[in-house]
């Protein structure tokens, strides 16, 4: 028993990092011994981490904004208890329960027992929200708010298509759209996904099962909207080429960009996660005729500029309130112990996790 206790203590003093030996190579993950934390600065909050959600590390983005390091901290969505605060911290005090997302340039790995976070990246966690749900929902909640409020202004009666609705992000997006009074259509990538979506509460989202590849998404959406088309589309990536020219890594269950353009209604808004989206002149002309817009969903933008800091924190607070009131019910896997974090992160980085992975301390 003492050996076991000692081993847990040693792991707890380590932090998880990713390393990529050369561009294009798969990232590997390692636990590194943590040196003592530096002194708490004026606006720092020392947090004892209780849960940390794992998200895919975008190494290309880190390189592009000159944040690529030999060791990349892993795990940015955290919840925990405040241990100590800097002299100028005004929002928090010791023993407060907090949740937040570490910024892209953070030196801290969230997969560590104790970390330092600037107070402007944290909000209070409601007491009735558990640690795992708080950490596991905050990122998908931010993405859903960015897409549905700031890029498309969802409103009662508008129609929203959420592609791959059973993903962690899709689940929260459906719940937020329904809460705002929108009519939701969603695609399911498997029978299991279809059953999950049909069990979601409140009921009402129309589910299109695309798992067999026989269903025409554009046709189904036009039929569902009386040929008017969809007001808002949230994609999960799109196919840009014909099936034989598409890279093998891209799912054939994703719709083609032409399908999305076809099913958009007049004045429709297409929110895309496809960072390399290519629109040919005929595509642009179709969008012009519909008066439609294309927006790129990059939720990192909130922390790349401090101009929106107040709005950003208000979103995080609202996400926690909706969790507390059961409006958000996230798609989470069973909590993962710290010693399995490395294996779980490898699965996340390969995009093989269908549910949000959360490390529990």
């Amino acid at each position: 028993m003492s050996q076991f206790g000692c081993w847990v203590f040693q792991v707890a003093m380590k932090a998880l990092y990713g390393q990529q030996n050369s561009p294009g190579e798969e990232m590997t993950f390692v636990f590194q011994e943590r040196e003592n934390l530096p002194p708490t600065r004026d606006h720092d909050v020392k947090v004892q981490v209780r849960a940390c959600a794992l998200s895919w590390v975008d190494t290309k983005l880190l390189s592009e904004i000159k944040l690529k390091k030999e060791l990349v901290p892993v795990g940015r969505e955290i919840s925990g208890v405040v241990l100590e605060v800097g002299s100028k911290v005004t929002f928090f005090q010791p023993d407060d329960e907090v949740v937040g997302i570490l910024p892209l340039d953070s030196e801290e790995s969230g997969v560590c027992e104790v970390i330092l976070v600037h107070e402007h990246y944290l909000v209070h966690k409601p007491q009735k929200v558990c640690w795992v749900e708080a950490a596991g929902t905050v990122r998908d909640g931010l993405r859903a708010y960015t897409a549905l409020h700031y890029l498309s202004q969802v409103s009662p009666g508008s129609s929203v298509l959420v592609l791959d609705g059973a993903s962690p992000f899709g689940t929260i997006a459906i719940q937020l759209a329904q809460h705002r009074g929108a009519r939701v259509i969603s695609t399911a990538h498997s029978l299991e996904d279809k059953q999950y979506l049909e069990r979601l509460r409140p009921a009402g989202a129309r589910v299109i099962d695309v798992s067999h590849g026989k269903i025409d998404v554009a046709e189904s959406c036009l039929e569902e909207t009386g040929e008017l088309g969809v007001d808002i589309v949230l994609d999960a990536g799109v196919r840009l080429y014909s099936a034989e020219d598409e890279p093998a890594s891209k799912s054939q269950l994703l719709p083609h960009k032409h399908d999305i353009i076809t099913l958009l209604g007049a004045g429709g808004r297409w929110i895309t996660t496809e960072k390399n989206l290519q629109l040919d002149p005929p595509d642009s002309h179709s969008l012009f005729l519909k008066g439609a817009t294309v927006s790129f969903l990059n939720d990192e933008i909130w922390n790349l500029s401090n101009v929106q800091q107040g709005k950003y924190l208000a979103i995080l607070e609202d996400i926690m309130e909706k969790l507390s009131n059961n409006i958000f019910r996230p798609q989470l896997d069973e909590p993962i112990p710290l010693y399995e974090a490395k294996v779980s992160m490898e699965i996340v980085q390969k995009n093989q996790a269908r549910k949000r992975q959360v490390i529990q301390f």
Side-chain angles (χ1 to χ4, degrees):
M1 183 69 188
S2 61
Q3 283 181 323
F4 180 75
C6 175
W7 178 75
V8 169
F9 177 75
Q10 286 173 334
V11 171
M13 300 312 291
K14 294 177 179 178
L16 189 64
Y17 294 87
Q19 54 186 157
Q20 192 179 27
N21 298 325
S22 59
E25 252 191 43
E26 274 190 6
M27 200 171 221
T28 55
F29 298 95
V30 292
F31 274 110
Q32 289 278 5
E33 288 286 348
R34 275 300 303 265
E35 295 170 18
N36 290 332
L37 283 179
T40 308
R41 290 166 304 201
D42 288 351
H43 288 281
D44 277 350
V45 178
K46 187 185 279 188
V47 177
Q48 181 177 14
V49 179
R50 291 295 179 84
C52 175
L54 302 177
S55 293
W56 183 73
V57 178
D58 190 340
T59 50
K60 195 160 183 280
L61 175 65
L62 290 173
S63 293
E64 284 166 351
I65 58 176
K66 307 289 187 284
L67 286 177
K68 192 77 184 292
K69 301 185 272 276
E70 194 181 330
L71 288 174
V72 179
V74 168
R76 291 173 47 212
E77 302 92 61
I78 59 106
S79 61
V81 181
V82 175
L83 296 175
E84 187 187 318
V85 297
S87 59
K88 292 185 179 171
V89 171
T90 52
F91 296 119
F92 305 102
Q93 54 192 31
D95 297 328
D96 280 356
E97 297 183 355
V98 295
V99 58
I101 302 174
L102 304 181
L104 261 180
D105 60 356
S106 173
E107 299 289 329
E108 300 278 355
S109 161
V111 185
C112 186
E113 197 176 49
V114 179
I115 61 172
L116 288 175
V117 192
H118 192 287
E119 66 171 327
H120 289 164
Y121 297 116
L122 296 169
V123 295
H124 288 96
K125 178 188 79 65
Q127 225 160 359
K128 62 192 276 196
V129 174
C130 75
W131 303 111
V132 169
E133 284 199 346
T137 310
V138 68
R139 161 82 61 188
D140 294 314
L142 178 64
R143 285 171 68 80
Y145 266 80
T146 306
L148 291 171
H149 281 287
Y150 294 95
L151 298 177
S152 64
Q153 290 86 42
V154 67
S155 57
S158 54
S159 54
V160 178
L161 171 64
V162 179
L163 293 154
D164 191 13
S167 67
F169 166 60
T171 297
I172 297 296
I174 289 171
Q175 290 165 355
L176 181 60
Q178 286 187 317
H179 180 66
R180 290 284 180 255
R183 291 178 294 120
V184 178
I185 306 167
S186 179
T187 59
H189 285 191
S190 67
L191 178 61
E192 193 184 354
D193 285 357
K194 180 174 184 279
Q195 291 168 343
Y196 169 76
L197 289 167
E198 287 172 346
R199 287 196 307 270
L200 267 185
R201 293 288 173 267
R206 161 88 166 86
V207 182
I208 302 170
D209 183 358
V210 298
S211 59
H212 307 299
K214 294 172 188 166
I215 302 285
D216 186 318
V217 174
E219 202 176 286
S220 299
C221 288
L222 289 170
E223 193 181 308
E224 195 66 30
T225 56
E227 303 299 319
L228 293 173
V230 173
D231 298 319
I232 299 166
V233 177
L234 269 61
D235 74 28
V238 292
R239 288 184 292 119
L240 303 174
Y241 314 107
S242 58
E244 49 276 11
D245 295 333
E246 204 67 66
S249 59
K250 186 156 281 190
S251 170
Q252 289 302 309
L253 298 177
L254 294 175
H256 196 279
K257 62 177 177 179
H258 295 148
D259 297 331
I260 304 285
I261 293 168
T262 301
L263 63 81
L264 268 177
R269 294 173 290 278
W270 174 9
I271 315 303
T272 185
T273 57
E274 188 61 58
K275 60 186 76 170
N276 298 316
L277 181 67
Q278 294 175 1
L279 295 176
D280 302 318
D283 301 331
S284 298
H285 188 64
S286 296
L287 290 166
F288 167 76
L289 291 174
K290 293 185 178 203
T293 56
V294 179
S295 299
F296 290 88
L297 178 55
N298 175 11
D299 52 282
E300 299 294 359
I301 201 68
W302 294 102
N303 284 328
L304 291 173
S305 161
N306 289 330
V307 176
Q308 307 275 10
Q309 197 69 42
K311 206 176 277 186
Y312 169 69
L313 292 175
I315 294 171
L316 298 194
E317 284 170 351
D318 209 41
I319 293 163
M320 288 302 116
E321 188 188 320
K322 285 182 171 48
L323 250 185
S324 180
N325 295 331
N326 285 325
I327 291 162
F328 286 163
R329 290 169 304 287
Q331 170 76 304
L332 306 179
D333 220 332
E334 290 297 315
I336 297 158
L338 183 58
Y339 60 83
E340 288 181 14
K342 188 168 162 294
V343 175
S344 295
M345 191 60 215
E346 285 165 1
I347 293 168
V348 169
Q349 195 63 17
K350 288 174 184 166
N351 281 320
Q352 292 171 348
R354 284 299 288 162
K355 295 181 179 180
R356 179 66 65 213
Q357 308 290 299
V358 185
I359 307 300
Q360 186 171 34
F361 290 78

